[in-house]
Amino acid sequence: MIISIALLLMLLYVFDYGYIIRGAKIVYLTGHNTAFIDDYPYFENDTIANGNNIDPWPLHKNYNTVKPTETLSKTNEDLGTIAYLIIKNDSIWFEKYYEDFNESSKTNSFSMAKSITTALLGKAIMEGYIESLDQPISDFYPQYSYAKTTVGDLASMASGLDWVEHYTSPFSVTARANYDDDLAETILNQKVVKIPGEEFEYLSGNTQLLGMIIQKATGMPLAKYLSESFWKPMGARQEALWQLDDGENRLAKAFCCISSNARDFARFGKLYKDGGNWKGKQLLDSAFVKKSITPRFKNNPIYGYGWWLGTYLNKNFFMMRGHLGQYVLVQPEDNVIIVRLGHRKSKIKGHTVGRFTNDIKIYIEEAYKMLSHDKQDQS
């Protein structure tokens, strides 16, 4: 038996699947069966520094005066919610934490990082590091000179890359990207095999390549560029962490894995709700923000540039989404932001909100029920 295990381990290394061993150590030997929300201590991280000028969220005058509905409470318990916030008119109206988590707890953004990486693209265009959404990726990586893929195609999930988005197979490129020690090598082995810019296809490799281009264009690690562009100007309460592939290459996982708290994640919802303006300072071009939260493809109107889009209760939402039910849900007309972080998401698809899971519908509907019961202030 020991010889068989040793042979298996040797074969994994010989055929360049050694990352599977690393993944198994991080996941299974810690008592989990998939990636988990507080996994950042098991990886190298870069610090996203906050500044000296903290801009705390104000508490609404009716803060936590309305109790969560029974449906919301049950859903939060069943799915392992660790943070649930309702922000109304730029003030925290309701806030609750679960288990041993609190307002300062860092947990993994998972794919909410894709929205943040795309915001960095907008900043890089605004500052002249990147020409426009139409700039070819071959300007940064000449090995893609055969393709017509643009940075905008990466941001809108229309690159044509040969990537299979698979979360359960340890042999998938997605698993390799998360656990391997040279992420750039993995990404640059991907070929463009479809005509870019024609249709939506959600691929984590798109955002990773986009992050690499932003880093190359700006000459800054993504964590530093994020700190200078948004974390400090928006007055984030705490420093955050961005997972890296390893200590040698130190490439940030742009497709996932920013560890922060619910209040600071919510800042990106407010930034986009307000057209890129943060309390009088234009951090992002308003035209870029509008384009980001507008469907690129009419036949598949669930995605813009880095942001998911959906309609429920006759209201249009744009949202950041993460693998285990990490959400920042924004309804701009009502000036409402809903944040949910937790261990699991619903496996039930909700038809009324496109391909989104049913829990999103619950988090929205129950928040609006609670808001409607606020008799003291309907504003």
Side-chain angles (χ1 to χ4, degrees):
M1 180 66 176
I2 295 176
I3 295 176
S4 298
I5 294 174
L7 180 61
L8 175 61
L9 294 177
M10 183 184 72
L11 289 172
L12 287 174
Y13 279 114
V14 167
F15 290 99
D16 196 26
Y17 287 106
Y19 71 89
I20 293 177
I21 299 172
R22 184 190 187 198
K25 288 179 180 178
I26 293 173
V27 175
Y28 298 113
L29 294 186
T30 58
H32 299 86
N33 56 18
T34 187
F36 50 100
I37 62 173
D38 47 354
D39 62 353
Y40 64 87
Y42 299 92
F43 296 89
E44 293 287 336
N45 292 275
D46 205 353
T47 299
I48 303 164
N50 62 336
N52 296 322
N53 298 318
I54 307 303
D55 187 7
W57 285 97
L59 301 182
H60 195 279
K61 65 180 181 180
N62 300 328
Y63 174 73
N64 277 2
T65 57
V66 176
K67 294 182 179 180
T69 66
E70 290 186 12
T71 298
L72 179 60
S73 295
K74 185 176 187 308
T75 300
N76 284 337
E77 181 179 356
D78 291 346
L79 298 180
T81 293
I82 62 101
Y84 184 83
L85 278 67
I86 303 171
I87 298 171
K88 173 67 174 173
N89 294 337
D90 296 333
S91 299
I92 299 178
W93 184 84
F94 178 83
E95 181 177 39
K96 187 172 176 62
Y97 299 92
Y98 303 81
E99 300 177 15
D100 295 326
F101 295 89
N102 57 50
E103 65 184 46
S104 300
S105 298
K106 289 183 176 69
T107 59
N108 197 330
S109 68
F110 294 108
S111 287
M112 291 202 302
K114 292 181 171 71
S115 304
I116 296 173
T117 299
T118 306
L120 291 178
L121 169 63
K123 191 68 172 182
I125 293 172
M126 188 177 178
E127 294 184 333
Y129 292 113
I130 295 175
E131 294 173 4
S132 70
L133 288 172
D134 297 324
Q135 186 166 6
I137 66 173
S138 58
D139 285 359
F140 305 94
Y141 289 98
Q143 55 264 59
Y144 288 107
S145 59
Y146 65 90
K148 296 182 179 180
T149 303
T150 66
V151 294
D153 293 331
L154 295 178
S156 61
M157 298 293 173
S159 67
L161 277 180
D162 181 20
W163 179 283
V164 179
E165 192 76 8
H166 200 296
Y167 297 112
T168 56
S169 170
F171 297 98
S172 71
V173 67
T174 310
R176 180 184 288 274
N178 199 39
Y179 297 110
D180 211 354
D181 58 359
D182 189 348
L183 182 51
E185 180 184 37
T186 297
I187 298 302
L188 295 176
N189 277 334
Q190 297 296 304
K191 307 299 183 185
V192 175
V193 295
K194 298 179 182 178
I195 299 174
E198 289 198 341
E199 61 180 355
F200 169 84
E201 185 178 12
Y202 183 82
L203 307 174
S204 289
N206 289 337
T207 314
Q208 185 57 46
L209 182 53
L210 178 62
M212 291 163 58
I213 287 171
I214 295 167
Q215 181 166 296
K216 200 168 190 179
T218 62
M220 280 183 269
L222 290 183
K224 179 176 176 57
Y225 195 45
L226 175 55
S227 171
E228 298 299 325
S229 298
F230 300 114
W231 220 254
K232 289 179 180 178
M234 294 194 299
R237 183 171 178 266
Q238 289 183 302
E239 69 177 23
L241 300 172
W242 205 330
Q243 282 185 25
L244 307 173
D245 55 355
D246 64 9
E248 180 181 351
N249 295 289
R250 298 190 64 79
L251 178 60
K253 299 177 187 176
F255 66 96
C256 76
C257 308
I258 295 173
S259 294
S260 184
N261 61 76
R263 289 186 175 191
D264 283 341
F265 282 137
R267 295 176 190 274
F268 286 90
K270 172 176 165 53
L271 178 68
Y272 273 68
K273 172 180 67 69
D274 294 341
N277 189 284
W278 188 269
K279 299 187 175 180
K281 186 173 182 180
Q282 200 69 34
L283 301 184
L284 270 178
D285 183 83
S286 60
F288 177 85
V289 171
K290 183 176 181 179
K291 195 176 188 72
S292 297
I293 56 177
T294 302
R296 179 178 181 186
F297 301 107
K298 291 182 179 180
N299 63 340
N300 206 350
I302 61 174
Y303 206 78
Y305 288 78
W307 289 78
W308 292 90
L309 312 169
T311 301
Y312 187 60
L313 302 178
N314 294 318
K315 299 175 184 293
N316 294 321
F317 289 83
F318 58 88
M319 24 191 129
M320 301 164 65
R321 291 178 60 205
H323 173 51
L324 297 178
Q326 288 68 40
Y327 305 123
V328 174
L329 313 169
V330 185
Q331 213 302 310
E333 288 77 22
D334 294 336
N335 209 351
V336 167
I337 301 170
I338 302 165
V339 183
R340 186 272 180 183
L341 307 176
H343 295 289
R344 296 176 297 281
K345 65 181 179 183
S346 171
K347 296 180 180 179
I348 304 172
K349 299 292 184 182
H351 298 293
T352 52
V353 282
R355 291 164 56 184
F356 304 138
T357 48
N358 196 51
D359 52 340
I360 295 177
K361 182 181 78 169
I362 294 172
Y363 297 134
I364 292 172
E365 186 168 352
E366 301 311 307
Y368 272 86
K369 286 180 182 177
M370 292 170 64
L371 286 165
S372 70
H373 290 141
D374 186 352
K375 303 301 182 183
Q376 301 176 59
D377 180 14
Q378 293 297 323
S379 64

